Amino acid sequence: MSNNSGFFERVYEVCRLIPEGRVTSYGAIAKYLGAAKSARMVGWAMNSSKKLEDVPAHRVVNRKGLLTGKSHFGGSNAMQQLLEEEGVEVIELQILNFEKYFWDPMKELSRDL
C-alpha cells in the first residue's frame, strides 16, 4: 500500500462520509477524487480497509449496484446483511432501486478532500 497510501486514505475519507442507508460506487469515488479511471484502485482500497472499523466498505458497490465487494467480507453475505440492516433493499447481490440509494460525492460534498 506504500505508493497508494495517500490515495487510499482519501478514498477512506470519502467512504466515511457515505450516510447510513445510502451507497456509492467505486467509480463515483474515483471521479470525485479526480481520478475517474481509477475505480479499480478504489476497489483495492476498500479491500485493504478490512482492519479499519470506521470505514463502511459495505456501502461501496459497482456502477450497477452489484455487491462486488463481497470478498472483502470473507465471501459471506455480511455485506448484504449490513446494507439490509440500514434499510437498503438487496436481492441476489444487487441493490433494488439503485438510484434511490445512490449517494454521489460529486453532488453531496465540496471538493475539499
Side-chain angles (χ1 to χ4, degrees):
M1 189 166 109
S2 59
N3 289 342
N4 300 323
S5 61
F7 182 79
F8 282 19
E9 188 51 46
R10 291 173 57 218
V11 168
Y12 302 149
E13 288 176 31
V14 174
C15 191
R16 288 178 185 114
L17 298 173
I18 304 167
E20 186 174 313
R22 304 289 299 280
V23 296
T24 196
S25 67
Y26 305 104
I29 292 174
K31 184 176 177 182
Y32 175 77
L33 293 175
K37 301 212 183 257
S38 297
R40 182 165 286 154
M41 198 165 172
V42 172
W44 294 337
M46 291 292 91
N47 199 42
S48 295
S49 71
K50 291 176 185 172
K51 294 179 182 164
L52 303 174
E53 293 181 19
D54 64 334
V55 175
H58 65 284
R59 296 181 189 151
V60 184
V61 298
N62 85 356
R63 63 187 173 90
K64 296 179 180 180
L66 288 169
L67 309 189
T68 54
K70 184 178 174 182
S71 64
H72 171 82
F73 297 91
S76 70
N77 49 330
M79 185 176 188
Q80 180 170 336
Q81 290 173 334
L82 289 166
L83 288 169
E84 288 174 341
E85 287 171 11
E86 294 182 3
V88 177
E89 300 171 90
V90 181
I91 293 198
E92 296 183 16
L93 301 176
Q94 182 149 18
I95 295 172
L96 297 179
N97 302 313
F98 181 51
E99 55 286 333
K100 171 183 171 183
Y101 300 104
F102 186 71
W103 179 83
D104 186 349
M106 292 293 284
K107 293 178 183 174
E108 304 290 341
L109 301 176
S110 65
R111 298 291 301 218
D112 294 340
L113 295 178

